[in-house]
Amino acid sequence: MNNVFLEGKDFASSYILPYTELTDKESKFPEESFKKLGEKGFLKLLVPEEYGGLGKGLEEHAQACLAFAESCSTTALCYMMHNVALMCILTHGSDELKKRIFTDVVENGKFLALAYSEFGTGTNFYIPEMTVEANRDNTTFNGTKSMVTSATYASYYLVLAPSVEEGKINNWVFPLETKGLTFEMSKWQGLGMRGNSSCPMHIDNVTLDSSFRIGEEGSGEEQVFNVVAPFFVTGLAAVYSGTAMHLFEIAKNHVVDRQYPDGRTLANIETVQVHIGNIYKTAVAAKAITLEAARAGANGEEDALAKILAARIVASEAAIECGRLAMRVGGGKAYNKSLPTERLLRDAYAGQIMAPSADVLAIWLGKALTGQMIP
């Protein structure tokens, strides 16, 4: 894959877009798209070449998420989380864990998900309340994770749990078939992202040996802020800038195609031209800062963190603003759902609450720019 964005766009038009409407209408996980993601090599995008993967990094991660989001926000979001989980395995996992999971991804098309948030701590997912009991090489877990994306469809779930070392946390891999792991399945009733199959995951006396722990004892917080945060926040920026670009394409095509009896189109009206221009400049600005943030992060530049945080804030706000204007331009066609504008606007609002929330990120950005510790 020399140009991941363009290849992602081609893939999405064939294997994501055909299922996008059904994904939202029936709150259906995009299972068909994920099967093709495995077959066409996108699930192994970040897997090192020595394990049969493509060996790509943060820039390609952002490009793929953005390309997919221009067809389906839900699919892009779930795919993004898979990549984030893979990076934790890559950077901190043992050789045994890497071989097991990377082989399953490359050869069997399996994918990963994150199971971090809990009902009590919400977006402060790095402060888990679940309980652990260590007994030599085995650890037993009890608790509930609140919003697990790709629930029952992903084969591996990354779970944050307290460490035996006071005040520290660990990052664990829970295989789907683990005894004591159950899901409170029901259709996701959120405002948007309706196909993400999000639900609580109950952990009842789940026992794992230490080979399923990612990294050294107590290293979970380091993973959260040095691996999860940059890939997750950049990925979200890509998802929502892609959603904004999708809204632009829908609005532009509508005003060009909507023709009056006298031969004029909506595109001939100056007010509409202003709205289309505003949608475009807002969306393309979000896309540009996202790709720049990914580039800076991949190259370890000094201002990479600030750019990544800014990109996520800009993209989340851009998607909502583009949705607002696209609904106005779409008029009755948008309101009665003849256009997908309403669905995309609902998806856009999820960008405000995905952890860390936009408000929290704004505080973090200010801290980063003034040399203060985050969080």
Side-chain angles (χ1 to χ4, degrees):
M1 292 185 181
N2 295 321
N3 192 315
V4 172
F5 177 74
L6 293 180
E7 293 189 34
K9 287 282 288 183
D10 288 342
F11 173 89
S13 66
S14 297
Y15 303 113
I16 293 179
L17 191 59
Y19 305 104
T20 298
E21 184 176 348
L22 188 66
T23 291
D24 179 76
K25 187 177 180 180
E26 297 187 2
S27 297
K28 184 178 185 297
F29 183 81
E31 193 170 3
E32 298 87 353
S33 297
F34 265 79
K35 181 179 179 180
K36 289 296 183 180
L37 282 167
E39 293 177 2
K40 300 299 182 179
F42 283 99
L43 291 180
K44 63 178 182 179
L45 184 72
L46 305 185
V47 174
E49 293 180 1
E50 58 263 37
Y51 291 96
L54 301 178
K56 303 301 182 181
L58 185 63
E59 283 190 271
E60 293 83 4
H61 165 63
Q63 291 168 11
C65 293
L66 199 154
F68 298 159
E70 290 188 17
S71 289
C72 179
S73 305
T74 289
T75 302
L77 181 72
C78 296
Y79 173 77
M80 179 274 291
M81 294 188 183
H82 161 74
N83 279 350
V84 173
L86 271 184
M87 282 307 299
C88 285
I89 305 295
L90 173 60
T91 56
H92 287 78
S94 65
D95 290 340
E96 177 186 354
L97 193 59
K98 289 178 186 178
K99 183 177 181 180
R100 171 177 178 167
I101 292 180
F102 291 163
T103 299
D104 228 359
V105 171
V106 172
E107 297 183 2
N108 303 316
K110 303 298 184 180
F111 61 97
L112 291 71
L114 304 177
Y116 284 170
S117 61
E118 298 183 9
F119 288 105
T121 55
T123 57
N124 297 307
F125 59 86
Y126 45 85
I127 312 175
E129 293 184 310
M130 62 181 297
T131 62
V132 299
E133 183 179 343
N135 182 14
R136 295 185 179 179
D137 287 337
N138 293 328
T139 302
T140 300
F141 305 84
N142 282 280
T144 297
K145 296 296 181 176
S146 57
M147 294 174 64
V148 178
T149 300
S150 305
T152 73
Y153 292 94
S155 294
Y156 299 99
Y157 300 84
L158 266 60
V159 174
L160 287 178
S163 166
V164 293
E165 297 184 15
E166 185 69 27
K168 295 185 178 182
I169 57 175
N170 286 321
N171 206 6
W172 292 82
V173 176
F174 281 42
L176 175 62
E177 67 276 9
T178 302
K179 183 180 179 181
L181 200 64
T182 59
F183 297 86
E184 194 176 315
M185 287 302 296
S186 61
K187 287 187 177 180
W188 170 238
Q189 298 298 317
L191 180 68
M193 298 289 185
R194 288 184 174 170
N196 71 23
S197 187
S198 183
C199 75
M201 183 175 83
H202 299 297
I203 301 165
D204 185 15
N205 287 320
V206 168
T207 299
L208 296 173
D209 65 61
S210 58
S211 68
F212 289 94
R213 189 185 66 230
I214 305 172
E216 297 298 322
E217 181 67 42
S219 66
E221 185 171 335
E222 176 189 353
Q223 295 174 46
V224 166
F225 288 102
N226 294 335
V227 181
V228 173
F231 274 81
F232 191 81
V233 175
T234 302
L236 284 177
V239 169
Y240 292 106
S241 55
T243 301
M245 289 300 300
H246 194 180
L247 281 159
F248 163 69
E249 291 294 334
I250 296 299
K252 180 194 71 173
N253 292 338
H254 172 66
V255 302
V256 170
D257 296 339
R258 178 69 170 90
Q259 191 171 41
Y260 293 105
D262 63 2
R264 293 186 308 144
T265 67
L266 272 177
N268 297 131
I269 300 173
E270 288 188 350
T271 301
V272 173
Q273 294 165 8
V274 171
H275 289 329
I276 289 295
N278 283 332
I279 294 171
Y280 175 76
K281 71 181 184 182
T282 301
V284 79
K287 179 176 179 178
I289 192 174
T290 295
L291 294 175
E292 168 58 18
R295 185 203 63 79
N299 290 307
E301 296 180 4
E302 186 177 354
D303 61 349
L305 175 59
K307 285 181 176 177
I308 289 172
L309 296 175
R312 161 71 200 287
I313 297 167
V314 169
S316 297
E317 294 175 346
I320 292 174
E321 177 62 8
C322 289
R324 183 184 72 83
L325 292 174
M327 287 294 292
R328 181 179 295 182
V329 167
K333 293 284 187 181
Y335 185 77
N336 68 19
K337 302 184 183 182
S338 295
L339 298 173
T341 314
E342 176 265 352
R343 166 173 56 80
L344 290 168
L345 178 60
R346 287 189 284 101
D347 287 345
Y349 270 101
Q352 292 294 311
I353 57 93
M354 291 294 296
S357 67
D359 290 333
V360 170
L361 285 171
I363 296 171
W364 286 9
L365 177 59
K367 288 181 179 293
L369 293 171
T370 54
Q372 299 180 62
M373 291 292 292
I374 297 174

